Amino acid sequence: MKFSGLCNPSEKPPDLVEVWLEAGREGRTFTYSADAALGLQAGDLVQVRLRGRPLHGLVVARYNVSLGATVPDKVQAVEGLVQQAAVDPQWRLWLEGVAERCHLSVFRMLKAALPAGWLGQARTLSEGRALLWVERLQPPVPAPPLTSRQQQLLNALDVAGSGLWQRSLEASGFSPSMVRVLETKGWVRRDRRPLSTGVMSVAPLEAARPLTSEQQQVMQRFEAVPDGEGMLLWGITGSGKTEVYLQLAEKELAAGRHVLILTPEIGLIPQLVDRCRRRFGSRVLEYHSGCRDRERLQVWRRCLAPEQPLLVVGTRSAVFIPLSPLGLVVLDEEHDSSYKQAAPMPCYHARDLAWDRIRAGGGRLVLGSATPSLDSWVQLHPDGPLRLGRLTQRISQQSLPPVHVVDMRHELAEGHRRLISRPLMDRLAELPEKGEQAVILVPRRGYSPFLGCRSCGEVVMCPNCDVALTVHRGSGGRQWLRCHWCDHRDEIGNRCAHCGSTAFKPFGAGTQKVMELLNEELDGLRLLRFDRDSTGGRDGHRRLLDRFASGKADVLIGTQMLAKGMDLPQVTLAAVLAADGLLHRPDLRASEQALQLLMQLAGRAGRGERPGQVLVQTYCPDHPVIRHLVDGRYEAFLAQEVQLRREAALVPFSRACLLRLSGESASATATAASVLAERVRPLCRDRGWWLLGPAPAPVARVAGRSRWQLLLHGPVGSPLPLPPGPTLWDELPRGVALAVDPDPLEL
Ligand code: ADP
Ligand code: ZN
Ligand code: ZN
């Protein structure tokens, strides 16, 4: 480095620091000078200027300039320290390991892990920012009448004790204007408070419950789990797993360690956060994609400088939260595939990273599920680091609902060619008079999965993707076509573009069509649709579920998200219309995932006072998944599946890695795929791996981009046969993107 210009020798010379800035895809480091008084260290967040633009950047290294030396003229000075120790050195070390395994540069890994806005454009992030705090007042006299929603808001405040942040109320679906109305009527008072004070004053409201003997046994067993290991908590739905998490968390918090509880679906967050807040008050924070960027930043900050042991509830990205010391990580519904991020890079599974974190930094893991994943099952003691904890009884003492299989072949043979079988019709028809509710799983959203020609067999495809367009229907009966991959929309023609025939019709049934059929056949049944189209918005899930739970509908018709974790005590019937679509997917984990989903769905029925029932319509009543569902023998299913996979040396008895290529040009992408294959083939050979492909991806074109893939298989525990670091990318032609998925879920 060339130095010019003399420093005043009587002053302490400035430091030179390398600052990582978000510039370009990878980010880059630039050299800045900094007043020695700032005492900058690697890991500090600073404000600098790049081409006149104010940016936040991360100090990655510091050099001392010797006395009397000079600082290059062009070197600009750091403008200020934004946050000291913004990135903990140990956390960064851990993340570097993750980056290496994900074949991503450390910079891009950091960017993926840190909350948006942490780096980049400088914004004011004042620590003492005041937020609106809402407090309950003595009821005004005479008390003006309240709507039921206003009453609910007041109840929420009563439950919280001293008050709530307005934004927490907003997150629960109470608008700021509602709060304002209550304020003018004299029910509540609002004032601005710094984040730290208000939060501290929320006191826990609920004490721990006395545990059942099963729960106690689980707690005791967990005591024997050493640091860096964990427990697989296999408990049927409603058996009190969450209560166990809470009591384990309580112990950790009391011992001064932090706790992280992850849940796969954002829709499950509100229930869980409510439950945690009632128990632990203000030390509960939430971190997930439903939070605004600003909220995520604030939570992140609080975790870096916690004033007390914290409990963070979040979805998969919360696994990166920099809590230290971390005593306990819980993954609820650990089998759920939403824990996997397959795209964009980094491709990771929150469970793997959780393992990694507790091994690197201490702490213990709890994996909870009614249907544990096979991947975790094979990690049970004595071969692996997981002890088994079992909860076999529902707290309510209700037994699991019996499963009734409707053989659709019989229905057909008896001349009933309807989508909804007679037994299901009969059960649905009697719901309203009994005051009961049902949930119906329909694997597809929209009206019909595709539009086809009965004369020539032509199916209308998306112009940008290799998938059929789905028929959707508006409230007025107007129909249009939509692509579920790229959201392309199109009109529906009345003739086949291929042969001109008018025998051009929607095939199959999505959630919308099932609604329509039920409306036609069962007059007076009140239906509610629960899928990605109907649950839009920040609190879409919660609002719909609240409506259903308060008895505004008899039947909830939805896609897979319906099966997940909701507690709806009036539901006595859980039904699947076409189980076959779930059974016959060309995927290694198809059976496992189908059984998990069906058992999860079964768990929705009979959670309250009245016993439940499950009804499954299928053309394959003898399929092993259906048989195990009926018998309720999940363990037997796993044992069988483990044996199958072991014999065939399939995952998890081997390792897989998927290299996905995509590009606008079909030929360039195909060429890149074969070049990459030639590059990887010798590496595979050397390390005992083998290569499948290159081959077009199962959906070979999405949103106008061609997709190719290479599948690598190798021995368990062996490193990927890829060159280290991001060198693979450098060799790719422009316009072709590569994603490395080290342990793909879909195989
Ligand atoms: P899971 O997470 O296994 O579905 P939960 O922890 O949600 O089960 O428990 C189901 C229901 O039983 C909840 O309403 C919960 O409050 C209640 N519950 C759990 N444990 C106890 C206990 N020891 N005593 C009384 N009620 C309990
Ligand atoms: Zn045709
Ligand atoms: Zn498309």
Side-chain angles (χ1 to χ4, degrees), residues 453-458 496-501 503-504:
C453 171
R454 304 228 173 203
S455 303
C456 75
E458 177 83 355
C496 171
H498 187 65
C499 74
S501 161
F504 204 46

